[in-house]
């Protein structure tokens, strides 16, 4: 099977850089991204693919039919790239920097462009593909659950045949250019949030015994949350709790009626996520009640953990190492504590996700000093876009080829030599 070569990727790179810089200069936020959607459609114009627009969001689902697909047992593989920017005023100094108050501070412009590149590379090799490829161009990753909405609209069924595996990449402005990072199992955290309104009884600060102080009770909650998770949850399946907001009071000599806390909770397995959203509100209520106050508590899981299938993660890392060498392929020791809505796809179908470095090698500071994703100064290099596109293309093509081989071995009448493993 003839797969996209390094020369194919290098020849495509200048076009991909032009597309990326155009998308970068015009970031859109949320689920409605009509300009980005139109730019993607223009970049795919003339290709023999099926393009479907989302109904409730500006998504694009693109299906490429493989020339060697088995019409009786068709299979498909999904590749994903998210499209949306952030409400951040850009300060990168790029000539193509955005000026509309939004910014591709998380590198989604590279995700989109790398996926466009994969479409082009696989289109050129489509006659040899052993199945179909679904390209998931997703808006609304930054807090809008675009992945969940695309799943609800049927992205996994877009090819009319089962999606057997799903893959994606995320670029990082502070990791070495063209290096890949992933691991089997938990890769990124679940994100849950808990809003707590402590209700007491206000009064004079000089007479606290005649009031019910919500600030004091709230402060007890802050400390006890940290102690509780360190004592009740396993050290190797951690819970990261951060009280990001604590608002109360109007003056030094006044005890207020209420205090408000907003708590972020990061977990790495589904079991621990489910425990946390039950036990932590129960702890808060017990603390507040013990001080004679009451509380309104709203706790919900926003995103599940991003968990790579073990076999698919090995395939992901092996494919990258085969293309670009073991020295550029990194098996992460620990998960990352950020969250990602590709987690919803990986809950529905086996697959793998990972990071690709996009730090500028020519800049004098060390990679560790580079601004991180979401910073207004985060600078993502597009020099590795060709490699990114080729990697995605190889993931899809090789996985379809493997599925075809497995199907052939399992076909009725297949006789294996004695002792050969299925």
């Amino acid at each position: 099977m003839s797969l996209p070569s390094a020369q194919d990727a290098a020849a495509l790179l200048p076009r991909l850089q032009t597309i990326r810089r155009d998308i970068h200069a015009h970031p859109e936020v949320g689920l409605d991204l009509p300009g980005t959607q139109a730019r993607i459609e223009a970049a795919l114009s003339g290709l023999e693919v099926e393009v479907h627009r989302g109904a409730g969001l500006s998504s694009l689902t693109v299906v490429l039919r493989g020339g060697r697909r088995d019409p009786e047992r068709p299979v498909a593989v999904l590749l994903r790239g998210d499209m949306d920017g952030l409400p951040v005023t850009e300060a990168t100094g790029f000539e193509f920097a955005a000026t509309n108050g939004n910014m591709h501070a998380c590198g989604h412009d590279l995700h989109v462009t790398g996926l466009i590149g994969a479409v082009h590379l696989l289109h050129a090799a489509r006659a040899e593909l052993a199945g179909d490829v679904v390209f998931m161009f997703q808006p609304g990753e930054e807090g809008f659950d675009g992945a969940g909405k695309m799943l609800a609209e049927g992205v996994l069924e877009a090819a009319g045949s089962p999606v057997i595996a799903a893959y994606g990449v995320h670029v990082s402005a502070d990791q070495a250019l063209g290096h890949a990072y992933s691991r089997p199992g938990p890769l990124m955290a679940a994100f849950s949030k808990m809003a707590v309104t402590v209700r007491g009884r206000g009064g004079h600060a000089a007479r606290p015994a005649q009031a019910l102080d919500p600030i004091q009770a709230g402060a007890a909650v802050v400390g006890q949350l940290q102690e509780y998770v360190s004592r009740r949850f396993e050290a190797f399946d951690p819970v990261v709790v951060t009280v990001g907001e604590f608002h109360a009071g109007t003056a030094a000599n006044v005890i207020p009626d209420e205090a408000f806390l907003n708590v972020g909770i990061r977990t790495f397995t589904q079991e621990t996520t489910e425990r946390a959203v039950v036990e932590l509100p129960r702890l808060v209520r017990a603390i507040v009640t013990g001080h004679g106050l009451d509380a309104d508590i709203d706790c919900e899981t926003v995103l599940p953990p991003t968990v790579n299938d073990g076999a698919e993660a090995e395939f992901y890392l092996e494919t990258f190492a085969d293309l670009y060498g073991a020295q550029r392929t990194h098996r992460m020791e620990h998960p990352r504590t950020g969250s990602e809505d590709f987690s919803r796809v990986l809950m529905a179908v086996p697959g793998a996700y990972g990071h690709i470095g996009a730090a500028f090698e020519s800049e004098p500071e060390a990679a560790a000093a580079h601004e991180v994703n979401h910073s207004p100064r985060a600078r993502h290099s597009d020099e590795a876009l060709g490699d990114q596109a080729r990697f995605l293309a190889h993931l899809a093509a090789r996985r379809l080829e493997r599925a075809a081989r497995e199907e052939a071995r399992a076909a009725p009448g297949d006789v294996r030599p004695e002792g050969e493993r299925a």
Side-chain angles (χ1 to χ4, degrees), residues 76-379:
V77 167
L78 182 142
L79 301 175
R80 178 267 208 161
D82 38 355
M83 305 156 57
D84 55 323
L86 287 158
V88 172
T89 300
E90 183 163 353
T92 60
F94 285 146
E95 292 182 0
F96 51 91
T99 58
N100 64 356
N102 299 326
M103 179 186 172
H104 274 295
C106 203
H108 294 188
D109 50 330
L110 276 78
H111 301 175
V112 170
T113 310
L115 194 57
I116 290 170
V119 179
H120 280 268
L121 292 173
L122 287 171
H123 184 268
R126 65 192 182 282
E128 299 187 55
L129 290 179
D132 303 326
V133 185
V134 177
F135 302 89
M136 179 182 177
F137 290 93
Q138 179 210 311
E141 190 278 328
E142 297 288 356
F144 297 87
D145 195 20
K149 291 174 172 59
M150 288 193 72
L151 288 174
E153 290 195 357
V155 66
L156 296 181
E157 297 79 38
S161 55
V163 169
I164 59 171
Y167 308 103
V169 301
H170 200 305
V171 298
S172 298
D174 62 338
Q175 289 180 309
L177 179 66
H179 286 235
Y181 306 80
S182 191
R183 70 191 304 273
L187 179 79
M188 299 181 73
F191 175 54
S192 304
K193 60 182 180 180
M194 178 170 60
V196 179
T197 301
V198 181
R199 300 193 184 282
R201 185 174 67 246
H204 200 294
R207 301 176 183 179
Q210 296 178 7
L212 292 172
D213 188 350
I215 295 179
Q216 181 272 334
V221 166
V222 174
Q224 285 300 307
L225 282 171
Q226 304 301 329
E227 292 192 25
Y228 185 87
V229 299
S230 72
R231 299 295 92 186
R232 297 289 295 167
F233 290 89
E234 294 291 337
F236 298 104
D237 187 6
V239 178
V240 180
V241 175
T242 300
V243 179
E245 294 181 76
F246 191 161
H247 305 296
T250 57
N253 60 347
V254 176
I255 294 173
D257 282 335
E258 297 180 354
F260 174 76
L261 297 86
N262 204 8
V263 185
I265 306 162
R266 306 281 176 169
T267 45
F268 297 91
T269 63
Q270 190 63 24
E271 178 184 13
T272 297
T273 302
E274 292 170 0
R275 274 189 62 198
V277 298
V278 171
E279 294 184 23
L280 296 185
R282 189 168 62 204
L283 170 70
V284 171
R285 189 167 299 283
I287 293 169
V288 171
T289 302
H291 285 270
L293 291 79
D294 196 7
D296 295 334
I297 306 171
D298 182 15
C299 189
E300 63 171 335
T301 296
V302 179
L303 288 173
T306 303
V307 181
N308 284 338
D309 177 83
E312 297 295 350
E314 297 294 348
F315 168 68
Y316 189 97
L317 290 164
E318 289 167 4
T319 299
F320 196 91
D322 185 47
L323 292 174
Y324 304 115
Q327 73 279 6
R328 286 172 55 182
T329 308
H330 306 275
R331 182 184 298 269
M332 297 161 57
E333 183 178 0
H334 304 294
R336 298 180 67 143
T337 51
S339 302
E340 163 62 58
D341 74 0
F342 192 62
S343 56
R344 298 207 187 278
V345 178
L346 294 180
M347 289 186 73
V349 61
Y353 195 65
H355 292 76
I356 292 182
F360 275 85
E361 290 185 329
S362 59
E363 294 185 346
E365 64 266 31
H370 291 169
E371 293 279 347
V372 300
N373 289 1
H374 287 220
S375 165
R377 294 166 297 280
R379 292 166 55 87

